[in-house]
Amino acid sequence: MPATFLARVLPILLLVGSNILMTFAWYGHLKFKDKPLLAVILVSWGIAFFEYCLAVPANRWGSNFYSAAQLKGMQEVITLAVFAVFSILYLGQKITANHLIGFALIATGAFFLFRAPVSA
């Protein structure tokens, strides 16, 4: 596997891992509504620390190949995909057609971040 391929893919893999952790930090506590808010805030901060340990290198290394806008677009699409799976598997909530349409519109916006600039 060429080093360039790994250098381009590693930031994406790190963003996936980071988004999994952040989704648990932000939404995992919804299954523990009986726990004190301060406790879930502290647990969420602890999870977020490890999320940052993935997100920061992902963006630092990814900036060698992708623009900041492209990295953010990737992150948003990854976030939606991770959230959809999390919502179904962990929270037991359904994804509706309206959710899918909204996600698709956001993904369409991210698609344009990777296209050559449109000249006026």
Side-chain angles (χ1 to χ4, degrees), residues 29-81:
H29 63 87
L30 295 178
K31 287 184 87 170
F32 303 97
K33 292 183 179 181
D34 59 323
K35 303 297 180 199
L37 184 58
L38 181 59
V40 297
I41 288 171
L42 294 174
V43 169
S44 292
W45 278 353
I47 295 169
F49 169 78
F50 294 102
E51 182 270 337
Y52 271 60
C53 289
L54 298 177
V56 171
N59 287 303
R60 169 81 54 101
W61 297 333
S63 69
N64 291 325
F65 297 98
Y66 307 106
S67 70
Q70 289 172 327
L71 286 165
K72 184 62 180 171
M74 275 191 275
Q75 187 268 331
E76 292 300 330
V77 171
I78 291 167
T79 296
L80 292 173

Side-chain angles (χ1 to χ4, degrees), residues 5-19 54 57-59 61-62 66 70-71 74-75 78 114:
F5 174 78
L6 183 60
R8 288 181 182 273
V9 172
L10 183 60
I12 297 167
L13 296 175
L14 290 171
L15 286 174
V16 170
S18 138
N19 274 281
L54 298 177
N59 287 303
W61 297 333
Y66 307 106
Q70 289 172 327
L71 286 165
M74 275 191 275
Q75 187 268 331
I78 291 167
F114 287 88

